[in-house]
């Protein structure tokens, strides 16, 4: 008697990757994520490679992970993949402070984000 297998969270022709604890605000990360929604994977990777925003590197790594999951775990064709979902959410916020004049403090918030990318195999792109 073994442990039961978890049901899949996505359809049979989909694969996902989740990046947790990505340093940066969800608002800035979402600006990059919205540029790749609905794109074919090959075009999305090229777009992220030449994007000037710092968050683009983190989004590209998660997208590459989703493509690798699709190829190795679910036997999907890499050339037929499209980015279906790229959603960004909040993770924890590190709180720091900086001493200011007259005994006051300046609050410093260092936000972390999480991103969920789902790729789907389609017939014709």
């Amino acid at each position: 008697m073994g442990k039961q297998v978890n049901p899949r969270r996505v359809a049979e022709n989909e694969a996902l990757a989740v990046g947790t604890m990505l340093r940066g605000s969800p608002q800035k990360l979402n600006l990059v994520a919205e540029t790749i929604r609905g794109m074919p994977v090959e075009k999305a990777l090229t777009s992220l490679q030449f994007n000037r925003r710092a968050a683009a590197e983190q989004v590209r790594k998660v997208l590459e992970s989703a493509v690798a999951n699709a190829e190795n775990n679910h036997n999907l064709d890499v050339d037929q993949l499209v980015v279906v979902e790229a959603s960004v959410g909040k993770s924890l916020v590190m709180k720091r402070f900086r001493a200011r004049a007259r005994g006051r403090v300046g609050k410093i918030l260092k936000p972390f984000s999480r991103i969920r990318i789902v790729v789907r195999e389609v017939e014709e792109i």
Side-chain angles (χ1 to χ4, degrees):
M1 183 163 168
K3 185 177 174 184
Q4 286 186 338
V5 178
N6 283 334
R8 283 193 57 154
R9 294 187 179 103
V10 291
E12 290 298 319
N13 63 342
E14 293 180 346
L16 78 100
V18 178
T20 59
M21 299 296 292
L22 300 178
R23 184 70 177 84
S25 74
Q27 186 175 10
K28 292 177 184 177
L29 203 63
N30 192 35
L31 288 173
V32 176
E34 72 183 7
T35 62
I36 65 166
R37 287 186 191 121
M39 275 188 174
V41 167
E42 191 173 322
K43 189 175 178 184
L45 285 171
T46 306
S47 170
L48 290 173
Q49 184 177 358
F50 293 106
N51 196 325
R52 300 177 84 158
R53 291 186 175 270
E57 179 71 21
Q58 296 174 334
V59 174
R60 187 179 60 78
K61 286 182 179 182
V62 176
L63 180 59
E64 287 174 348
S65 176
V67 171
N69 290 342
E71 183 179 14
N72 297 319
N73 299 345
H74 307 299
N75 299 321
L76 301 177
D77 185 18
V78 177
D79 298 325
Q80 303 291 323
L81 292 178
V82 173
V83 179
V84 178
E85 176 187 336
S87 59
V88 179
K90 286 170 55 171
S91 188
L92 65 88
V93 177
M94 269 196 315
K95 296 171 182 77
R96 300 290 183 260
F97 71 90
R98 181 175 179 192
R100 306 303 290 175
R102 298 170 65 187
R104 298 191 174 118
V105 296
K107 189 167 26 170
I108 298 172
L109 301 177
K110 298 186 175 189
F112 285 79
S113 307
R114 62 189 312 273
I115 185 167
R116 180 178 192 260
I117 295 182
V118 177
V119 292
R120 179 183 298 156
E121 184 180 39
V122 296
E123 296 302 319
E124 290 296 320
I125 296 178

